[in-house]
Amino acid sequence: MMKGRITGNRKLIIAGVLLIICLVTALVLVNRQTSGSVGDEAAFRNRPKTAPQGMVDPNIIQKGTTAWQGQNYINTAKSALNLVNQQRTNNGLTPLQWDDSLAACAMVRALELPSFFSHTRPDGSDWFTICPNIMYGENLAQGYNSADGAVNGWMNSTMHRENILNAGFVSCGIGIYESGGKWYWVQEFGYY
């Protein structure tokens, strides 16, 4: 009788251990898709009184355009913009238009984030110095590997949410750069 009871207890222990392993694995998978951070603040500049001249440096566009790591990242960035536009529409705002120039600027910024996750660039200059004539708002995120995760992170942060719901912005570009298995996100906003 004693032997049967031990075997039964072992079965319960094994079943319990397997259940714990399954729960931990599920939590890891969920966190892998949604964990990340957006930093403490977003960046914003006021709209100039007149439209700036000479919009974009072609070298920046070339650098940003060639930095994409594949179509999957471009599709994910555009999915993130669709989610942002759902938030804007739900708040009575006009959807943002995808802007290739802002996306190229976002990619240049995304390349900088693994070494320095900040609205200050690694050389100490401001975030908008890449293309000051088109960049007026910036949201950053790191660690999210889904559009849902990044947009939820931004929407759950007051300053990032304010950029997304800024009625003056009409254009947006999003860049995603993966380094060491970690995704870095940059969302750039424009008035033009």
Side-chain angles (χ1 to χ4, degrees), residues 10 13-14 19 33 40-41 45 62 70 81 86 98 103 117 132 136 144 157 162 167 175-176 184 190-191:
R10 281 188 180 164
I13 291 170
I14 290 170
L19 178 62
Q33 292 181 352
D40 294 335
E41 59 186 47
R45 295 188 312 141
Q62 176 65 26
L81 180 58
Q86 287 175 12
W98 180 266
F117 187 80
Y136 291 95
Y144 300 105
S157 163
E162 286 173 1
I176 305 166
Y184 295 88
Y191 289 116

Side-chain angles (χ1 to χ4, degrees), residues 11 22 27 29 35 42 46 80-81 115 119-120 126 145 154 158 162 182 185 192:
K11 287 180 182 178
C22 289
L27 285 173
L29 290 174
S35 68
N46 287 323
L81 180 58
S115 65
H119 293 291
T120 302
D126 289 323
N145 65 353
W154 288 327
T158 301
E162 286 173 1
K182 188 174 190 178
W185 297 72
Y192 306 101

Side-chain angles (χ1 to χ4, degrees), residues 73-139:
Y73 295 96
I74 296 169
N75 293 343
T76 302
K78 289 186 177 183
S79 292
L81 180 58
N82 288 336
L83 294 170
V84 162
N85 281 334
Q86 287 175 12
Q87 293 292 334
R88 287 178 62 88
T89 300
N90 291 344
N91 285 277
L93 299 170
T94 304
L96 299 170
Q97 296 300 309
W98 180 266
D99 185 283
D100 288 331
S101 296
L102 284 172
C105 293
M107 278 306 300
V108 172
R109 287 286 294 128
L111 292 168
E112 297 174 345
L113 295 185
S115 65
F116 198 58
F117 187 80
S118 172
H119 293 291
T120 302
R121 299 180 67 199
D123 66 3
S125 62
D126 289 323
W127 58 276
F128 59 84
T129 57
I130 292 173
C131 284
N133 291 333
I134 65 170
M135 297 169 66
Y136 291 95
E138 180 177 81
N139 286 346

